Amino acid sequence: MSEIFIPPLKKRIKKEINVPSDKSITHRALLLSSISKGKSQIFNPLISEDTKRTINLVKELGAKVDIGANKWVVTPPKSFNVDFDFYSGNSGTTTRISSGLLASIDGHFTILGDASLSQRPMKRIIEPLSEMGAKISCENYKLPMTIIGGNLRGIDYWLKIPSAQVKSSIMFAALRATGKTTIRGAINSRNHTEIMFKNSGVDIEINDNYIEITPSLPTSLNYRIPGDFSSAAYFIAMGLISKKVDLIIKSVNLNKTRTGMFQVLEKMNAKFEIKNFKNDIEPIGDIVPVFSNMINLKNIDENLIPFMIDEIPILVLIQSQSEGRVIFKNLSELRRKETDRINALVQNFEKIGVKIEELNDGFIVEGPQEIKGGEINSFNDHRISMTFAIAGLISKEGIKIKNSNCVDVSFPNFFEIIKGFFS
Ligand code: S3P
C-alpha cells in the first residue's frame, strides 16, 4: 500500500509544467498501427501502466513495437496470433477498444482484469459486437470475457451512452467487417478515433447525426501525441484556486471534445490564457491559469459532460472553492469508472472537512469552503488520488493519501511534479 502526505503550499512558486502525453490517443495509435499497412511511427507517446497494457496486447497479436526515446515504431504482423489470454490490468480503454479489434479477428481471445476492471460494465460493448457477429461469453457482462471473433458484418447501431470507448470499439470492429457500419445516437464524445481514422485514409463519413465506416485498411501512422488535457486539468485547477502559484502548462491537447471543463470554467468567471496555439492533427497550446474569484453555476449543461467526463473530480474541487451553490446532475457514468467516483468524492471530501451532498447521479456543492485536511483513500483511482493532492496543497493542515501510486496508470511522474513545488 502506497501512501503520501501532501502538505499545504506555503511559499509562492512559478513553474512550467510538462504533463504526460495523451492517454486516449496513445492507446488508439497503438491499436490502429497494429492493423495498418506498413510501419507506423508514434512520437511522444505516453508510457504508463495503462498504455503498457495496450503495448502488450498488440505484441500478443504479433505486432513488433520498438520502444525508443520518445518514439515508438510499430510493425503490424503479417498474420495475427489468434489464440491467447490477455491481462488488461486497470485499463478500461485497452479492454473496451481492443475488444472491437479482437472481435474482427478470426480467433479466440480471453481478457482478464484487476479487481476494479473486473467490476466494470462490458454489456455496452458486448451488445454491439455481438450484433456484428462476434461470440462473446462472460458472467454478468463482466471480465473475464472470451471473444470468438471474425466474419463480422456491418450494423446500424444506436449508441445509448455517450462513451468514446464504446464508439471506438464499434469503429475498430467496423474496419474489418463486411459492409458499412453506421453509428447514431450518443456520438458526441471525444473524437480521437474519428480524427485518427480520417488521417489514416479510412473511408469514414462523420456528421452531426452519424458516423459511417466502410471497411478499410488504414495507412501507416505518423503521429505526434500532444499533452493530455485530463492530466493538465489538475494544474489548471491549482492555478485557478491558489494565489500562490504561477503556472504555465505546456503543449496540451485542446481538442474541443476534451475541453468541456473550459466552457464551464469560463461561465464561472475563471481566467486563463492560451499561448502558442497550433493546429496540428489535434489543436495544441500552452495553458496559463490565473487565480480567479469564481462563481458556481446553478447547474451544468449535461451535453458538456462527455467532453469533461474525466475532469469531474477536479471540477468538484474547484466548485468547492467557488462562490454559491451548484447542482451537478446526470453523472451516473461516474459510478462506473475505476471506482464509484461519486461515492469516493463525497466520502473523501467529508474526511477533509468539506461538505458535499451526494445525489444518485451527482452532487450538490456549495462554496467557498475551507479545506481543513486529513486522511483520504484514493480507492485505487488515479483521478481521485490527483484531485486530493491538489486539495492538500490548498488545505490548512495537509492531506494524507492512501493508495496514492495508482497515478501510474495515467501520470507516473505526478507526485514528482508536486514534490517540485516544495523544493
Ligand atoms: C476514454 C473515454 C472515457 C474516459 C476514459 C478514456 C477513451 O470513458 O472516461 O478515461 O479513451 O475513449 P467512456 O468512454 O467510458 O466515457
Side-chain angles (χ1 to χ4, degrees):
M1 196 183 75
S2 55
E3 213 170 74
I4 194 164
F5 177 70
I6 307 293
L9 188 63
K10 294 266 163 57
K11 61 168 201 218
R12 270 202 74 83
I13 57 149
K14 187 175 161 99
K15 293 262 176 207
E16 195 174 284
I17 311 252
N18 288 296
V19 290
S21 298
D22 194 291
K23 179 156 86 72
S24 293
I25 300 179
T26 303
H27 284 297
R28 288 157 169 80
L30 278 164
L31 292 171
L32 193 62
S33 49
S34 72
I35 52 166
S36 61
K37 195 167 32 181
K39 271 189 191 172
S40 290
Q41 304 195 84
I42 308 171
F43 297 94
N44 206 31
L46 169 68
I47 303 184
S48 74
E49 287 305 310
D50 271 11
T51 60
K52 283 183 199 160
R53 304 293 171 193
T54 303
I55 296 182
N56 290 345
L57 175 85
V58 301
K59 282 184 171 169
E60 284 280 6
L61 271 173
K64 195 164 156 257
V65 185
D66 290 315
I67 310 241
N70 284 326
K71 178 178 146 185
W72 295 345
V73 178
V74 184
T75 314
K78 294 216 163 55
S79 62
F80 296 114
N81 295 330
V82 292
D83 193 347
F84 58 85
D85 289 1
F86 172 71
Y87 182 64
S88 222
N90 191 248
S91 181
T93 311
T94 307
T95 306
R96 297 210 178 102
I97 304 187
S98 72
S99 293
L101 170 54
L102 296 174
S104 75
I105 297 172
D106 190 359
H108 191 283
F109 314 97
T110 297
I111 307 181
L112 304 108
D114 71 3
S116 149
L117 187 59
S118 303
Q119 288 307 312
R120 296 181 66 185
M122 295 298 153
K123 189 174 183 183
R124 52 188 65 195
I125 52 162
I126 293 175
E127 269 181 2
L129 298 177
S130 303
E131 205 176 312
M132 294 176 89
K135 293 182 184 58
I136 303 182
S137 53
C138 60
E139 250 176 61
N140 288 329
Y141 297 105
K142 305 264 166 73
L143 296 188
M145 169 171 89
T146 297
I147 302 174
I148 301 177
N151 295 319
L152 297 189
R153 50 188 176 268
I155 55 170
D156 195 321
Y157 194 73
W158 185 267
L159 199 58
K160 294 183 274 298
I161 314 163
S163 159
Q165 291 178 352
V166 179
K167 176 176 65 176
S168 302
S169 185
I170 304 169
M171 289 173 73
F172 269 88
L175 282 180
R176 298 163 39 82
T178 304
K180 289 184 185 209
T181 292
T182 310
I183 311 171
R184 306 174 204 270
I187 57 174
N188 286 325
S189 57
R190 64 188 71 188
N191 64 358
H192 308 303
T193 310
E194 292 88 315
I195 292 174
M196 205 174 275
F197 276 19
K198 260 208 152 139
N199 249 281
S200 306
V202 169
D203 188 349
I204 179 169
E205 190 189 329
I206 306 163
N207 60 41
D208 289 345
N209 300 318
Y210 63 84
I211 298 168
E212 189 164 78
I213 295 173
T214 304
S216 312
L217 177 63
T219 57
S220 57
L221 269 81
N222 210 318
Y223 225 97
R224 177 166 297 280
I225 304 192
D228 197 319
F229 185 84
S230 298
S231 298
Y234 303 97
F235 297 101
I236 297 170
M238 186 63 192
L240 293 174
I241 60 185
S242 168
K243 279 187 183 149
K244 296 203 175 82
V245 298
D246 210 340
L247 303 177
I248 173 161
I249 308 143
K250 301 289 289 178
S251 300
V252 182
N253 184 1
L254 297 172
N255 178 324
K256 287 230 155 46
T257 65
R258 293 294 295 281
T259 58
M261 183 172 103
F262 271 166
Q263 291 194 49
V264 174
L265 289 174
E266 260 167 1
K267 289 198 191 123
M268 291 171 69
N269 282 349
K271 296 192 271 296
F272 49 85
E273 244 184 277
I274 303 295
K275 291 191 169 157
N276 299 321
F277 182 85
K278 277 198 299 277
N279 243 325
D280 201 352
I281 296 180
E282 302 242 359
I284 305 172
D286 302 340
I287 304 169
V288 185
V290 182
F291 174 78
S292 310
N293 289 312
M294 289 173 281
I295 302 162
N296 277 323
L297 305 171
K298 284 202 175 62
N299 41 48
I300 310 280
D301 177 359
E302 75 170 286
N303 295 314
L304 288 175
I305 292 169
F307 301 150
M308 55 180 187
I309 188 70
D310 291 339
E311 288 66 73
I312 309 290
I314 192 67
L315 183 54
V316 173
L317 174 66
I318 298 174
Q319 289 165 335
S320 77
Q321 301 308 301
S322 305
E323 189 77 42
R325 184 173 188 261
V326 51
I327 304 181
F328 203 170
K329 285 174 69 66
N330 299 301
L331 296 171
S332 51
E333 273 296 299
L334 282 199
R335 295 205 185 268
R336 305 190 182 96
K337 295 293 176 189
E338 285 81 336
T339 188
D340 173 343
R341 286 186 180 157
I342 294 184
N343 189 263
L345 286 169
V346 171
Q347 272 196 42
N348 284 334
F349 274 119
E350 194 154 291
K351 287 190 182 142
I352 58 169
V354 174
K355 276 209 196 80
I356 286 180
E357 194 179 318
E358 178 168 358
L359 304 173
N360 275 341
D361 65 341
F363 314 88
I364 301 178
V365 188
E366 185 153 8
Q369 297 186 50
E370 185 181 80
I371 301 180
K372 181 173 178 288
E375 184 175 310
I376 68 103
N377 191 338
S378 74
F379 299 97
N380 275 320
D381 183 323
H382 54 144
R383 308 226 177 266
I384 300 295
S385 189
M386 292 189 273
T387 297
F388 286 91
I390 301 299
L393 293 172
I394 60 160
S395 68
K396 278 194 81 176
E397 296 167 8
I399 294 179
K400 189 196 265 182
I401 304 170
K402 283 196 336 209
N403 298 312
S404 52
N405 68 359
C406 50
V407 300
D408 288 352
V409 304
S410 64
F411 200 154
N413 64 336
F414 177 78
F415 287 115
E416 264 163 55
I417 296 180
I418 298 287
K419 279 181 195 153
F421 283 11
F422 294 93
S423 56

